[in-house]
Every structure is written in structure tokens, then in C-alpha cells.
Amino acid sequence: MNLYEYQAKKLMEKYNLPVLKGFVCATLNDIEHYIVSNSIGHGPWVVKCQVQAGGRGKSGGVCVVHSTKNILSFANKWLGNKLITYQTTDTGELVTSILIEPAVKIVKEFYLSISIDRDESQIICMASTQGGMNIEITKQKTPNFIHKIVINPSVGIYPYQGRVLACKLGLSGAKINQFSKIIVSTTRMLLENDLTLIEINPLAITDDDHFCCLDAKVIVDHNAIFRQSELLNICAINKPIDILNFINYIPLEGNIGCMVNGAGLAMATMDVIKSLGGIPANFLDIGGGANKECIISAFNMILKDAKVQAILVNIFGGIVCCDLVAECIITALSRYTTKHIPIVARLEGNNATLGSNRLINSKLNIIVTDNLIYAIQQIVTAVKLKNVNFS
């Protein structure tokens, strides 16, 4: 199991490894809160999409930004969307959080990893002066820049081994002992947490003459996870769920976004929209067994469609409760967008009153009704008129 970068660094802090103070944000509201409270300090910052794959920088998932406006713009672009890198599948990995860290000036970069070499039945510490690069490229083009030491898993690493490795990297003076302490702590972290890999790339020397772990990849031994209660909880959080498998979504040519449950209800809704002069922007059926994350993602898919000028939600509560749908709409609007878009929700069936009250009390200017014809009349009017006041 891989950890996200922010989870890896949180674990590294416990072993006194030098990491930057970062802020993890899952919503735009989180980021605005940190900005308003000035918790993130002054720029520039490095903003990073949190996915369990490398190659983020080359794919635009890591950027240096110089203003809070650019932080929000970056988060708005990636939160809820998929990042595709050379280490992900062709469909990419969903970005659910952004890590914000202060940008630092780098003087020198190193590569450092500690892993289990199954062929040699040993723990191997590997370091290189070619930090920031793919280690595979370094192996192929400049293998003489890679240095290895073997670690006895029964006793861990000896500090003198770290000093020897530091000298091979060309370090001198106080940097030798500083580097030795880093790999001793990293080894202890690997052994105590049943990890199979810790990769720090780059391990940088900054302009204030200190080491800093700027990026980290950590893999947990899944067979030993049962005895690591903290990591077991993280594993449950990180369990990948391809929620889009539960959504039946077809983009169309119109400008009215539709979220409906049930294919029959979706087709009937589109027929009425057309008969009243509107054009649907999509066919979106969240089905009967949609969970919270599934509904939030479905609604966000509509929000992302640039053609959509207004959204109609038509839910007949059966297995899916209307109050759950209402909660998901509110969450999606607060998480993924700050722009105003007319929304009309027609809720009927299970917990319809509770769901309607949640939308009304949200103060998001959502028109709520139990009458389908009235709902569609309102949404068609919204896209035909400019500057419609829904308040």
C-alpha cells in the first residue's frame, strides 16, 4: 500500500526527519480558511496534487505559485479531477486533496532510498548525487553515481555506515553527521512500521544550509498491516474506489445539466425539458445504490461542464434518500466551485421533506419543489434569461 506524500511526511515527522510544514486541503473552503487565517504564511508556495504515483510535476500536478489567487486556481483545476502521469493508468488517479508547502531555494539535490532487496534478501540503502531525477535513468546512464550499503534487519544501520555513504556522496564537515542521522532515522522508520520502501527524492540542501526531504514515497508491507494500527486506519481511508463505475453519464449538446436517478426517469425528464423549450446537457443517472462520494462526483461532473448554464436535479427517493442527495449537492457546491449557477431541485419520495429543508436552509439560492413541470419551467427560463435573480 502506498501512502500519499502528506501521510508519508506526517510519519517522517515522528522520526525527526526534516520536512516542511505543509497544509493539506480537500476543499476550496479549506484553502480559503488557511489564506484568511494567514496560516500558510507568505509565498511563494509549492502546490502538489496528492496521488499515489510519481511524475506529477511533468503532468502539471506540482507547481510553484506566487499568489493565493494562483493557489485557488490550481486547486479549482485539480480537486475532483484525475491526474494522468506515466506511473498511473490511462484514466489517471482522482485528486482528492492538495498539499501546500512553502517554496525553498535548493542548493544541492540527492536521491535516497531504503528498500527490501528480495533477490539479495537484504535491506538496501541507496543514495545518489543525481537527486530529482528518475533513479532508473541514473542507473542506465550514470550508474557510477549510485552508492549502496547493506543493512542488517536485526540490528538496523550503524551510524558509521551513514558517514561512509555521506563521504561517497562528496559531503564534508557537519553535513556528514547530519546525513548519517537522516539515514539512521529513515531505517528505523522502515523497520518499526513494516515498510518495504522509503524513497526521498529529492533530499535537498537548502540555501539555509540544512537538509530537507522535499518529496517522499512510502510503501507499506500489506502482509504486515494487521499489526500497524495507525497505518491500518490510513489504509482504510486510501482504499481506492472507482466511483465513476456507479455513474451512467453521457454528455449531450445542450446547456441544462441534469442529475436524475433511474434511466426511465432520466429519459422522461429529458423529454419534458425538450417539450418546454430546453436542451439537456447530459444524461446522468446516479442509479439506485449511489453512495455519498458517488453523488458528489456526479454533481461535480456537471459543474465541470463548461456548456452547463443551469442544473436540474430530479430525484425520486427510493433506495437513494432525498436528504442524502441534498447533503451531497451542498458539499459539491462548497468543495468544487465558487461561481453561482442556477439550480432547481425536484425532490419526491423518501425523506423528501428533510432533503428540501436542507437545500432551503443552505442559503445557496436553490429552488426546491416537488412539482416536476414547475421545476423544468424554472430551469428552462433560467438558461433563456440573462442575469436571472434566484434570490
Side-chain angles (χ1 to χ4, degrees):
M1 180 193 75
N2 292 352
L3 300 185
Y4 290 107
E5 178 188 352
Y6 76 89
Q7 294 169 336
K9 287 183 172 177
K10 192 173 182 181
L11 189 58
M12 293 166 76
E13 283 182 350
K14 294 183 178 180
Y15 290 86
N16 295 317
L17 289 165
V19 295
L20 297 168
K21 179 176 175 55
F23 298 85
V24 184
C25 307
T27 68
L28 292 176
N29 285 342
D30 291 345
I31 297 173
E32 289 171 345
H33 168 73
Y34 286 131
I35 292 173
V36 171
S37 63
N38 200 30
S39 301
I40 60 173
H42 300 288
W45 303 271
V46 179
V47 284
K48 305 178 177 182
C49 294
Q50 295 300 283
V51 296
Q52 296 174 349
R56 295 174 298 169
K58 294 177 181 176
S59 302
V62 176
C63 281
V64 177
V65 294
H66 295 267
S67 70
T68 53
K69 180 181 178 182
N70 288 338
I71 294 177
L72 288 167
S73 177
F74 180 88
N76 194 43
K77 174 182 177 182
W78 285 113
L79 281 176
N81 292 317
K82 288 194 170 185
L83 176 65
I84 301 174
T85 78
Y86 70 92
Q87 289 189 4
T88 66
T89 63
D90 292 341
T91 57
E93 189 175 327
L94 186 66
V95 179
T96 58
S97 58
I98 302 288
L99 176 62
I100 305 171
E101 290 183 335
V104 295
K105 292 183 179 178
I106 299 172
V107 175
K108 178 70 178 175
E109 294 180 316
F110 298 92
Y111 171 91
L112 174 66
S113 71
I114 300 178
S115 60
I116 296 173
D117 188 326
R118 300 187 188 280
D119 294 332
E120 299 294 333
S121 301
Q122 297 283 2
I123 296 175
I124 300 294
C125 177
M126 187 160 59
S128 172
T129 55
Q130 305 300 295
M133 295 178 59
N134 294 333
I135 194 65
E136 293 80 6
I137 295 175
T138 304
K139 276 183 180 178
Q140 292 174 358
K141 296 185 176 180
T142 53
N144 56 308
F145 284 122
I146 296 178
H147 306 282
K148 297 180 181 179
I149 57 174
V150 176
I151 300 171
N152 186 326
S154 300
V155 297
I157 191 171
Y158 292 103
Y160 84 87
Q161 291 179 287
R163 292 193 289 272
V164 169
L165 192 55
C167 291
K168 289 182 178 178
L169 294 174
L171 296 172
S172 60
K175 286 288 174 295
I176 294 176
N177 281 332
Q178 290 175 16
F179 180 82
S180 178
K181 286 181 181 178
I182 286 173
I183 65 170
V184 168
S185 296
T186 306
T187 303
R188 194 160 66 87
M189 175 175 152
L190 181 127
L191 293 173
E192 291 181 356
N193 292 278
D194 291 310
L195 308 178
T196 60
L197 171 70
I198 301 174
E199 184 181 67
I200 302 170
N201 189 24
L203 170 65
I205 296 177
T206 57
D207 62 344
D208 59 358
D209 204 31
H210 287 91
F211 279 105
C212 188
C213 305
L214 293 184
D215 197 2
K217 179 179 181 180
V218 169
I219 299 179
V220 183
D221 183 351
H222 189 73
N223 294 315
I225 194 71
F226 68 93
R227 60 189 181 199
Q228 300 291 341
S229 57
E230 182 181 356
L231 296 177
L232 188 61
N233 291 332
I234 293 174
C235 182
I237 295 171
N238 293 353
K239 185 179 180 182
I241 301 173
D242 193 353
I243 54 180
L244 296 183
N245 288 338
F246 298 92
I247 298 172
N248 188 2
Y249 176 80
I250 301 172
L252 302 171
E253 297 301 319
N255 50 16
I256 297 176
C258 304
M259 187 168 81
V260 181
N261 63 325
L265 187 58
M267 289 188 287
T269 302
M270 290 193 297
D271 282 348
V272 180
I273 289 174
K274 292 276 286 187
S275 70
L276 293 180
I279 307 175
N282 65 274
F283 175 101
L284 174 56
D285 171 18
I286 61 173
N291 61 21
K292 183 176 179 180
E293 288 304 315
C294 180
I295 299 171
I296 292 172
S297 295
F299 199 79
N300 185 44
M301 290 170 71
I302 300 175
L303 288 172
K304 288 192 304 182
D305 189 337
K307 300 193 304 292
V308 170
Q309 297 178 10
I311 299 175
L312 172 69
V313 178
N314 185 19
I315 298 296
F316 186 80
I319 299 173
V320 175
C321 296
C322 293
D323 59 320
L324 174 65
V325 174
E327 180 183 343
C328 293
I329 292 171
I330 295 168
T331 301
L333 289 172
S334 61
R335 179 181 296 180
Y336 298 121
T337 187
T338 56
K339 67 180 181 182
H340 171 72
I341 185 168
I343 299 171
V344 178
R346 181 253 181 172
L347 303 178
E348 187 57 275
N350 197 3
N351 288 352
T353 302
L354 184 57
S356 297
N357 289 336
R358 283 189 178 178
L359 292 178
I360 294 168
N361 295 332
S362 70
K363 302 186 186 304
L364 291 170
N365 293 328
I366 299 172
I367 291 181
V368 182
T369 178
D370 59 359
N371 186 307
L372 177 60
I373 300 300
Y374 174 76
I376 294 178
Q377 286 173 336
Q378 291 297 308
I379 210 70
V380 171
T381 301
V383 297
K384 287 184 175 179
L385 300 177
K386 293 182 179 179
N387 303 317
V388 174
N389 184 3
F390 270 65
S391 60

